[in-house]
Amino acid sequence: MPPPPPPSSATAPAAAPVPGPLAGPLEGSLDGRVAVVTGASSGIGAATARALVDAGCRVALLGRRGDRMAAVAESTSDPDRTLVVATDVSDGLDLADALDALHDRFGPADLVVAGAGVLTGAPFEDGVPAEWIEMIDVNLGGILRTAQTFARDLLATAEEGRAADLFLIGALAGQVRFPGYAVYSAVEAAVAQLARTLRAEYGRRGVRVHVVAPGLTDTDFGSDITHDGTARGWAEHREVIVPMDPADVAATVLFGAGLPAQVNLAELLVLPTRQDQFLPGRRAERLR
């Protein structure tokens, strides 16, 4: 006897879905979200603002250079979904005004990217205390003030069962040793630890806290270095390593924010592929 025919596809039982690896951000998951980006006049902040608008967010751009932020807003795919607020993140009153402006235009924030920062360096004995204070006040103090200003928005969003994200933009220097940048490295290490501690405090309340630590990126970061030897070393560093585009770093923010709400991409170190061989403690070799 011939074997019986295979069962018809119409009567065959449906195969059970097989769990697979996490594929990445859900398509359209950022559409309609309300984002705040500090340091949005240039570099990583500007690239992040553009990317968030492209993804369907309404975005408030915060920074000290209002004219440059206006140009960034106009360069986005939909300037009508942007709000430019000239803000000094070292000034709590400025941030309070930015919060009010955001609520009036778009409503509460559910995605905050705290990325304003400055970089200076010198041998420690030659360091300028005023420059140290500026880095502490902007890079750490600015993130503290930004996070606190928008914390209630994020907590309220999470209480409604929606995704709420706080991204702190740190730096590779917070995780490795860079001679000549002792204070900057200490400040960025503090940013990373702040993210971990806030994650422990806010994660249980539904807010995802992330820290993104970029390596060398093609921005004007470092242009304010006043020590001649350190400035030359910084320039040489940029010559031998192909830096990342700020949009590369912005993509990591979108990736983390677009993941399912129960998933937190907590800490991300992102750097140029060839930078690793030039990190302190590694054997430096010429690029081939």
Side-chain angles (χ1 to χ4, degrees), residues 2-27:
S8 164
S9 60
T11 59
V18 178
L22 193 62
L26 303 176
E27 185 175 354

Side-chain angles (χ1 to χ4, degrees), residues 76-95:
T76 65
S77 56
D78 188 352
D80 288 341
R81 285 193 279 112
T82 64
L83 169 67
V84 173
V85 187
T87 308
D88 182 351
V89 296
S90 65
D91 187 331
L93 294 178
D94 265 14
L95 280 164

Side-chain angles (χ1 to χ4, degrees), residues 31 62 95 102 107 201 205-206 211 221 229 236 244 250:
D31 191 40
L62 276 56
L95 280 164
L102 174 75
E201 182 173 344
R205 299 172 70 180
V211 60
F221 221 48
E236 291 168 1
M244 296 180 292

Side-chain angles (χ1 to χ4, degrees), residues 87-210:
T87 308
D88 182 351
V89 296
S90 65
D91 187 331
L93 294 178
D94 265 14
L95 280 164
D97 289 343
L99 177 70
D100 290 341
L102 174 75
H103 287 180
D104 289 344
R105 176 75 179 276
F106 294 142
D110 56 42
L111 199 170
V112 176
V113 183
V118 296
L119 165 67
T120 61
F124 187 71
E125 68 274 14
D126 295 330
V128 179
E131 294 180 350
W132 299 347
I133 292 170
E134 182 183 19
M135 283 190 289
I136 293 168
D137 204 26
V138 176
N139 299 23
L140 179 58
I143 281 180
L144 287 166
R145 294 182 189 92
T146 300
Q148 187 180 52
T149 297
F150 296 98
R152 287 183 173 82
D153 281 6
L154 297 175
L155 290 167
T157 298
E159 286 175 4
E160 295 172 1
R162 297 187 290 119
D165 294 279
L166 172 61
F167 285 86
L168 309 186
I169 306 300
L172 172 65
Q175 303 191 30
V176 300
R177 302 179 305 277
F178 281 108
Y181 298 92
V183 177
Y184 175 71
S185 296
V187 169
E188 297 306 325
V191 170
Q193 185 62 16
L194 173 65
R196 296 178 190 117
T197 306
L198 284 179
R199 186 161 62 246
E201 182 173 344
Y202 281 174
R204 67 189 68 185
R205 299 172 70 180
V207 176
R208 300 186 294 194
V209 181
H210 324 255

Side-chain angles (χ1 to χ4, degrees), residues 23-47:
L26 303 176
E27 185 175 354
S29 59
L30 299 182
D31 191 40
R33 293 188 64 177
V34 177
V36 174
V37 181
T38 67
S41 61
S42 63
I44 293 170

